[in-house]
Amino acid sequence: MDFGFAAEDEEFRAGARSWLAAHAGAATDRRAWERTLGEAGWIGIGWAEGGYGNRPACLTRQVVWAEEYARSGAPPRSGHIGENLLAPTLLAHGTEEQKARFLPPVAAGHELWCQGYSEPEAGSDLAGVRTRAERAADGTYRITGQKIWTSLAHEADWCFVLARTDPGSRRHHGLSLLLVPMDQPGRVEVRPIRQATGTSDFNEVFFDGAYARAEHVLGGEGAGWRVAMTLLGVERGVSTLAQQVGFAAELDRVVRTAVENGTADDPVVRSRLVRQWADLRVMRWHALRTLGGTSGPSTAKLLWASWHQRLGELAVLARGASAGAGPVVWSAGRPYELDADQHLFLFSRADTIYGGSDQIQRTIIAERVLGLPRGPRG
């Protein structure tokens, strides 16, 4: 794989690493951290169009920043949905007024976003949208319906919502993508979903007549499917390489555990450790090969989701019986604490489901990449 970083990229890396070392350790509040990133110019790097981003950066430097952030131990981003999903879609489909309204607050870390796609009973079938948006007499849209598995909805200021604006439409026809403010008491309700890990990163979101302005329909009424496909195309790009930095750190931790407690001497465990290492290298080469293009997102998701799930299983296998005990004695005040390996095992169970299940990814690859006949639809 012929891919390398120029001297200018490494200079950029040194600056990013130095800044993160000086600031990441002091970050406690995630919303305040987004503002710190924005003030320092680290959000929206590479948004060349219109000057809405903080600093120009070629693709390799975007990779450098993403990798250094992952290595730094800085807090998980609350603003990544606005920066990495909404912003590229706005740049591709938004009006100048929409870009001027929404991109600067994202780049400044002042407004956080969530994604209103998945719905109950629809699973990974994005075209099975039942949430509806009806045009009111005053020109606004009134949205009624439910979204589920909505990451960071409990923190978000805005949500981009895929809704059906043509009541007689079916499947991918008659959909629109609306930009909806979350601060609408009595009209928008967020209910956290408690996960097996004991945390609540995902949410249910209920819309009961929530409003969206007519000028906040992204791409125009009825263009929702086309806009949604653009967003899904950019969802897995540079961030995949940064994700692999975190995967490598998790794998290193599992290997250290296996070596220290002797389970690495077991030929089955040793074979699985080697396979995880080799597969991670393959994923990096694939990410580099497809970097900057729109092809391969389903393949990338299929690769990393199953890899990460196998790593979670290997983490508890390498621990042996000790993986069944929590890091502290549970009590009424502290009933549900997990160590890093236990959290990895439980959280990774969802990897092959969220963001499009493995079955859906295989169908997309079969039909859209390999050109095979469409399978039966319910």
Side-chain angles (χ1 to χ4, degrees), residues 117-119 121-129 171 225 360:
Y117 272 21
S118 298
E119 296 192 4
E121 301 181 22
S124 295
D125 181 11
L126 186 58
V129 169
R171 303 298 299 160
W225 186 256
I360 291 293

Side-chain angles (χ1 to χ4, degrees), residues 261-309:
N261 67 13
T263 54
D265 296 332
D266 184 314
V268 173
V269 174
R270 187 164 62 249
S271 175
R272 291 183 62 174
L273 289 170
V274 172
R275 179 188 173 187
Q276 289 298 117
W277 179 87
D279 287 352
L280 184 59
R281 299 299 299 172
V282 170
M283 286 195 295
R284 178 170 176 79
W285 291 331
H286 174 75
L288 292 172
R289 183 177 64 85
T290 59
L291 189 63
T294 57
S295 63
S298 290
T299 304
K301 174 62 165 61
L302 198 60
L303 287 172
W304 73 252
S306 58
W307 183 93
H308 200 224
Q309 198 168 87

Side-chain angles (χ1 to χ4, degrees), residues 41-190:
W42 292 116
I43 300 178
I45 63 173
W47 294 355
E49 182 184 331
Y52 294 112
N54 274 312
R55 66 179 77 197
C58 60
L59 190 59
T60 54
R61 293 181 199 175
Q62 294 174 45
V63 172
V64 164
W65 166 251
E67 290 184 334
E68 289 304 314
Y69 192 94
R71 290 190 179 102
S72 71
R77 292 285 309 281
S78 293
H80 71 92
I81 294 176
E83 179 183 12
N84 299 322
L85 301 186
L86 174 73
T89 310
L90 265 173
L91 290 170
H93 296 286
T95 65
E96 291 305 315
E97 291 76 15
Q98 289 171 340
K99 295 174 190 176
R101 165 59 187 87
F102 292 109
L103 291 177
V106 171
H110 290 165
E111 290 183 349
L112 305 181
W113 286 78
C114 61
Q115 174 178 317
Y117 272 21
S118 298
E119 296 192 4
E121 301 181 22
S124 295
D125 181 11
L126 186 58
V129 169
R130 293 188 297 180
T131 295
R132 64 184 187 275
E134 300 175 350
R135 196 72 174 266
D138 61 1
T140 63
Y141 289 88
R142 299 295 172 172
I143 304 164
T144 303
Q146 179 185 356
K147 299 293 182 177
I148 197 167
W149 310 120
T150 309
S151 301
L152 303 178
H154 57 296
E155 300 181 13
D157 304 295
W158 290 80
C159 182
F160 47 91
V161 177
L162 191 63
R164 197 163 294 282
T165 47
D166 181 352
S169 63
R170 297 185 68 252
R171 303 298 299 160
H172 58 275
H173 301 287
L175 300 173
S176 300
L177 194 72
L178 300 97
L179 311 180
V180 183
M182 293 290 285
D183 186 14
Q184 299 189 49
R187 298 176 185 270
V188 178
E189 180 185 358
V190 177

